[in-house]
Amino acid sequence: MITKKKLNRTILLLLVRSKLVKIADLDVFITRSMADGRNSIWIEFAILFVRTAVLEKIAALDELKNTIEMLNKIGERSGSNYQKPVSRLMDELRSGSNRSNESNNSPSDSNAGQSTSGSLSEATKRAAENIAMTARNDPQQTRQQVTFLLESWIRVYTETPGNEKAYAQYLQLLQQHGVGKSEDQTERFFRVSTELVVEAVLKTGSVDMNGKQKMLHFSVVDAYAKLVTLLIRYMNGGGAQEQVAAQRIALLNKVLGITVRTLMANYERSKGRTHWDQRPWFRLLLNLVFDLNAPSPALDPISLGILSVFGSAFHVVQPSVIPGFASAWLELISHRMFLPNLLLAKGQKGWAIAHQLLIDLFLFMEPYLRKAELSDAIKALYKGTLRVLLLLIHDFPSFLADYHLSFCNVIPENCVHLRNIILSAIPRGMTFPDPFTPNLKIDLLPEIQQNPRILSNVAGPLASIRGDLDNYLNNRQPSNFVQELLPKLYKDGKNEIDTPRVHSLVLYVGMQAISRLQNSQIAHTPEIEVLQKLMEFDEKGRYISLNAIANNLRYPSSHTHYFSCVMLFLFSEAKDDGVKEQVTRVLLERLIVNRPHPWGLLITFIELIKNTRYQFWQHPFIRCATEIEKLFESVARSCMAPQSQRSVSTGDD
């Protein structure tokens, strides 16, 4: 998969971060590639890679121990040219490790993208430098030679469409020019071909006399995409079937790697000079997605590998890296030949990739959505995102349900409708009663005895406090844990609450409580003490904490039942009316937006306003203004059975 230093370091780091490349395998591979100090290219690559991976917290020191040991061994040799670079690297790693320990950083899959936002923004610059460095080694007449090969192919493609014999003869011509045989020649052909076909398409869209941009003609890109598809489909270097499959995946990986690096470099060069047109790149990648994922006897056995390579490429060119490619990117990842196939892969092996791509999308949109300052482009992207989520909740609801935690971690609190869609996802085949059923007894439902499946990393954000948290939940030690909890829920070195950490804490504590509870009593347990402590945050902190609880009011399950009880318990036990008002706000704002509304949310709100134990209609914040009172009555009427509406509308009569 990785053959030379010219494979862009930034891209490889992105693949590691997204878990599309195993760091342990990469550690062994880099160590072996250094050839005990004989391969200078790989030694230089290893130094750069380790520095970036460790200092940007993409990988831990012990995950690259083989590479680091080999570098130390090389640096200690007398007369080695790498004594100073290796020594400097080790000093940086030691100082970086000390800083990390002092700040007590905790890894989290939910904020990995945020922690390396600087690296993402610099990715196109590094890709441009990589392409420029590689191009300097191109022989003279390279572009002319590649132009000749492309023109020859276009003639074959247009004059003899579907002629397998003519295609085979052309592929032999490519081999004669070293494509597929020489590593350098293969890389050069695909890189220059990509540049040439994009340039050719853009020339067809020059501005006319009236200043209007003409439509582009994509015939050249279409022909080139067909050539790439044929090369991969007919790739056969000999060996067993598994070896041929690996060769085809490796070639696709090479082609897409070159394509995305060239795309990133092209985007970087356009900054501050001209308007960058995403259409040729979209057309090229769209053709490849469609052709390589279409039913084919040659490619069907490696369909998951093909989807994984595309997922990796799309992760590399995510909107945070190339904002100008965002709309095309969203259409590519949601294409019917990609996303559904990924989610339908056997054993749900494609779910992690689909999850990462949606996280990439939400991370890009998060700052715009949080400020609610949406340009026309962001509005269009938001509408597209809603369509994708509605597709998923209809066709793949379990996917959204199982990853609800990590999705909610990257969706701002003010995006109530977006979050409601995810939380309304119900695993296929599940049946349960209408929440508006009169006298519905939740405790008697068999579903509340079942734990929902959680695929998000719940414990990750809690790494710095998990030891003390577990001790306290098990034996209430250390005794001061709850008193000292709130400061530990702020971002390191900032006066800002770490929302993903609070989300994980709430769910983790609930899961521990459910595993231990022998009855429905939640009072006087260590878990409820932790959750009640969160109500001592300021107004912003309480809002985040109550939202974290409400995020688990979903379909019937042990989690929904427990957190519904917790929400009602916090309301009834709160001595401060401000807490009761915030509980009401969190529930209400999720009900006054457009459907869907999570089942557990409706159940909880109906219980709150119906059960006289909570005296909901007696609280002053319900009657503080006529408009507010009418809003509550309107929501109550829509949430309750017809025979109950009269009692609700009269409230405390």
Side-chain angles (χ1 to χ4, degrees), residues 343-360:
L343 294 173
L344 288 170
K346 290 182 180 179
Q348 300 176 347
K349 292 181 179 179
W351 282 28
I353 300 171
H355 167 253
Q356 179 63 60
L357 293 173
L358 280 183
I359 292 293
D360 293 341

Side-chain angles (χ1 to χ4, degrees), residues 478-497:
S479 58
N480 61 347
F481 174 78
V482 171
Q483 286 70 29
E484 298 179 355
L485 174 62
L486 298 189
K488 297 176 181 178
L489 299 178
Y490 283 81
K491 291 183 178 179
D492 300 316
K494 297 182 180 179
N495 188 28
E496 180 183 354
I497 293 173

Side-chain angles (χ1 to χ4, degrees), residues 550-603:
N551 287 345
N552 294 285
L553 301 176
R554 303 188 291 147
Y555 58 87
S557 69
S558 60
H559 288 194
T560 294
H561 182 239
Y562 176 79
F563 284 108
S564 179
C565 293
V566 167
M567 189 72 87
L568 296 171
F569 179 86
L570 293 176
F571 183 93
S572 64
E573 297 297 316
K575 298 177 181 178
D576 181 0
D577 263 6
V579 174
K580 296 185 178 184
E581 186 174 351
Q582 276 196 300
V583 169
T584 306
R585 174 197 170 182
V586 167
L587 296 175
L588 185 67
E589 68 183 4
R590 295 176 181 229
L591 289 170
I592 60 177
V593 297
N594 292 330
R595 294 178 179 178
H597 301 126
W599 184 90
L601 177 71
L602 290 166
I603 287 293

Side-chain angles (χ1 to χ4, degrees), residues 430-498:
M430 191 173 193
T431 58
F432 47 85
D434 188 325
F436 304 117
T437 303
N439 303 317
L440 178 63
K441 301 296 183 182
I442 310 301
D443 296 353
L444 301 180
L445 294 179
E447 288 83 4
I448 69 166
Q449 304 298 326
Q450 301 170 7
N451 294 333
R453 187 169 67 157
I454 305 293
L455 294 182
S456 301
N457 181 10
V458 179
L462 302 175
S464 61
I465 64 171
R466 187 178 175 185
D468 287 343
L469 175 61
D470 285 340
N471 287 336
Y472 185 79
L473 296 180
N474 290 326
N475 50 42
R476 295 185 186 270
Q477 294 295 328
S479 58
N480 61 347
F481 174 78
V482 171
Q483 286 70 29
E484 298 179 355
L485 174 62
L486 298 189
K488 297 176 181 178
L489 299 178
Y490 283 81
K491 291 183 178 179
D492 300 316
K494 297 182 180 179
N495 188 28
E496 180 183 354
I497 293 173
D498 190 334

Side-chain angles (χ1 to χ4, degrees), residues 504-572:
S504 284
L505 173 67
V506 167
L507 180 54
Y508 185 81
V509 166
M511 292 166 67
Q512 299 303 309
I514 292 167
S515 68
R516 268 204 301 272
L517 282 177
Q518 301 300 319
N519 51 53
S520 59
Q521 297 299 318
I522 64 173
H524 310 299
T525 62
E527 290 82 10
I528 201 64
E529 290 174 9
V530 171
L531 296 175
Q532 281 185 298
K533 184 65 179 180
L534 299 179
M535 297 303 101
E536 297 180 18
F537 265 131
D538 59 13
E539 187 174 332
K540 173 66 174 175
R542 282 202 307 268
Y543 182 65
I544 292 173
S545 302
L546 289 169
N547 266 306
I549 296 171
N551 287 345
N552 294 285
L553 301 176
R554 303 188 291 147
Y555 58 87
S557 69
S558 60
H559 288 194
T560 294
H561 182 239
Y562 176 79
F563 284 108
S564 179
C565 293
V566 167
M567 189 72 87
L568 296 171
F569 179 86
L570 293 176
F571 183 93
S572 64

Side-chain angles (χ1 to χ4, degrees), residues 212-318:
K212 296 181 180 180
Q213 192 176 35
K214 298 178 181 177
M215 291 182 62
L216 299 179
H217 299 286
F218 297 104
S219 56
V220 176
V221 164
D222 294 344
Y224 174 64
K226 183 66 174 180
L227 173 61
V228 172
T229 302
L230 287 173
L231 284 168
I232 294 169
R233 186 172 294 161
Y234 291 140
M235 178 69 185
N236 191 338
Q241 186 176 357
E242 293 78 8
Q243 292 174 306
V244 174
Q247 292 162 10
R248 289 171 177 166
I249 291 294
L251 180 58
L252 175 61
N253 190 71
K254 180 188 297 295
V255 173
L256 284 183
I258 294 167
T259 302
V260 298
R261 286 202 303 277
T262 309
L263 188 161
M264 295 163 74
N266 184 271
Y267 180 80
E268 178 66 25
R269 288 195 294 267
S270 72
K271 287 182 179 178
R273 291 187 293 175
T274 58
H275 169 71
W276 187 74
D277 197 329
Q278 64 180 335
R279 290 178 293 172
W281 301 98
F282 170 65
R283 181 70 171 227
L284 173 57
L285 290 169
L286 181 64
N287 279 332
L288 294 176
V289 166
F290 191 89
D291 292 342
L292 291 170
N293 290 291
S296 164
L299 300 181
D300 285 349
I302 56 171
S303 58
L304 179 59
I306 291 172
L307 291 166
S308 299
V309 174
F310 274 108
S312 171
F314 294 153
H315 177 60
V316 169
V317 293
Q318 61 182 280

Side-chain angles (χ1 to χ4, degrees), residues 6 25 97 120 139 150 160 178 195-196 201 238 257 262 285 287 304 309 354 363 428 446 473 505 535 579 642:
K6 61 178 176 250
D25 295 343
S97 176
L120 290 177
L150 281 177
T160 58
E195 294 172 346
L196 288 173
V201 170
T262 309
L285 290 169
N287 279 332
L304 179 59
V309 174
L363 282 174
R428 193 174 299 281
L473 296 180
L505 173 67
M535 297 303 101
V579 174

